[in-house]
Every structure is written in structure tokens, then in C-alpha cells.
Amino acid sequence: MITALDHIAIAVPDLDEAIKRFLEDFGLTYKGQEYVESQKTATAFFPLPETQIELVASPDGEGPIAKYIEKKGGGIHHLCFRTDDIHADVAMLKEKGYQFLSDAPGPGAHGCQVIFIHPKSCGGVLIELSQPGDDHH
Ligand SMILES: CC[C@@H](C(=O)O)C(=O)SCCNC(=O)CCNC(=O)[C@H](O)C(C)(C)COP(=O)(O)OP(=O)(O)OC[C@H]1O[C@@H](n2cnc3c(N)ncnc32)[C@H](O)[C@@H]1OP(=O)(O)O
Ligand SMILES: [Co+2]
């Protein structure tokens, strides 16, 4: 079951500059950075009541964010729904015809298991499903 809008991700060419903007200009609370090797993506999270803004960058110029930045320069990249049973939701959505970008969920930020639906099968929006790990608070 989908339980929350977990985050909205913005692809940024310069992570430190974008962190400064949300921290200093907008005064948001900064939760910290994490590099997710499996996605070749650096993340920075800013929790807001009920959801978070996730900055995603490509420090090595590799992975999906590098291609997105190259083409678009940056922008709103994906929406992420939190789920309490990712395997059941993937099966349910596959049954309805949604095309997933991998066969099974893999590691995301904060020890979550994540999987993506292709934007072509979802009205042009990249959707991530994320199930928190056991150590999530
Ligand atoms: C850090 C962990 C995790 C977390 O815990 O939160 C993350 O958030 S990881 C974030 C980075 N990881 C991903 O995005 C993984 C899933 N994405 C992909 O596999 C690819 O980016 C993609 C969606 C399959 C696109 O890759 P590719 O096909 O190689 O790129 P193209 O540029 O050729 O795009 C094809 C087509 O899709 C459109 N597109 C691409 N990105 C997006 C997007 N973010 N939102 C909407 N649409 C997108 C693109 O415009 C192309 O369309 P056409 O031009 O009409 O063909
Ligand atoms: Co994400």
C-alpha cells in the first residue's frame, strides 16, 4: 500500500551550491548527504512536514542524473511514493501495465529499497517507489 509522498527530487549540476540555496536562502532543515553507488547518484535531503526535497547530482559524471543534467541542465526529476510492501505494489502496478526499469527493487538512500517506473508508461513522470528498511525511524 502507498503510504506517503516520500520525496520530490530535483536534479542539480552543482550539489554544494544547491544545498546552500535551500539551507541559507530558503532556511530549510538539512538532513545530510549520501552517495548511492548503485545509482551513481549523490543525494541531499531537506525534510518538510510529511515529505522531503531530495537533491540528486552526479559527482562522477556517470549514471542517470548525468544524462538528465546534460540534456536539461537540471529540474524536477522524479516523485517518490513510500510503500509498506514494495513487492505487492510492484506486482499490482505491473498487472495494470506499468513498465518498471528493473526486475526487482534495489538499494536507495537511507537503506530503503527502491524501484522506478518508466516515465513513458506513466504520463511522462518518473515515479520511484521506496520501502524504508528495518532501521528506519
Ligand atoms: C539515490 C537513490 C534513489 C533514492 O533513494 O531516492 C534515487 O532517487 S536515484 C535517482 C537516479 N536514478 C534514476 O533516475 C533511475 C531511473 N532512471 C533511469 O533509469 C533513466 O533515467 C531513464 C528514466 C530510463 C531515462 O534514461 P534514458 O532512456 O537513458 O534517457 P533518455 O534521456 O534517452 O530518456 C528517454 C526518454 O525518457 C524521458 N525522461 C528521461 N528522464 C526523465 C525524467 N526524470 N522525467 C520524465 N521523463 C524523463 C526523456 O525525456 C526521453 O523522452 P523522449 O525524448 O520523449 O524520448
Ligand atoms: Co529518489
Side-chain angles (χ1 to χ4, degrees), residues 6-7 9 11 34-45 54-57 63-68 71-72 75-80 101-102 106-120 122-130:
D6 189 86
H7 60 257
E34 181 183 345
Y35 182 73
V36 179
E37 176 64 41
S38 59
Q39 293 286 340
K40 306 240 172 271
T41 299
T43 66
F45 280 88
E54 176 190 35
L55 302 179
V56 285
I65 301 303
K67 190 165 183 187
Y68 185 87
K71 280 182 134 178
K72 305 214 169 171
I76 294 187
H77 184 260
H78 63 266
L79 301 186
C80 175
L101 284 160
S102 56
H110 315 140
C112 293
Q113 284 293 303
V114 306
I115 194 164
F116 290 84
I117 301 173
H118 201 294
K120 293 274 181 205
C122 210
V125 180
L126 179 60
I127 304 268
E128 175 186 356
L129 301 181
S130 172

Side-chain angles (χ1 to χ4, degrees), residues 14-96:
D14 184 326
L15 191 61
D16 291 335
E17 191 179 286
I19 289 170
K20 204 159 165 265
R21 167 179 295 138
F22 285 103
L23 189 60
E24 294 178 10
D25 299 348
F26 291 86
L28 301 190
T29 302
Y30 175 45
K31 194 164 143 188
Q33 282 188 55
E34 181 183 345
Y35 182 73
V36 179
E37 176 64 41
S38 59
Q39 293 286 340
K40 306 240 172 271
T41 299
T43 66
F45 280 88
F46 296 85
L48 288 162
E50 305 304 329
T51 191
Q52 316 179 70
I53 290 171
E54 176 190 35
L55 302 179
V56 285
S58 172
D60 316 322
E62 291 180 53
I65 301 303
K67 190 165 183 187
Y68 185 87
I69 296 282
E70 193 184 305
K71 280 182 134 178
K72 305 214 169 171
I76 294 187
H77 184 260
H78 63 266
L79 301 186
C80 175
F81 292 121
R82 194 178 306 148
T83 167
D84 58 7
D85 189 341
I86 197 163
H87 293 288
D89 284 329
V90 168
M92 180 268 291
L93 290 164
K94 274 188 179 166
E95 186 76 19
K96 292 178 192 288

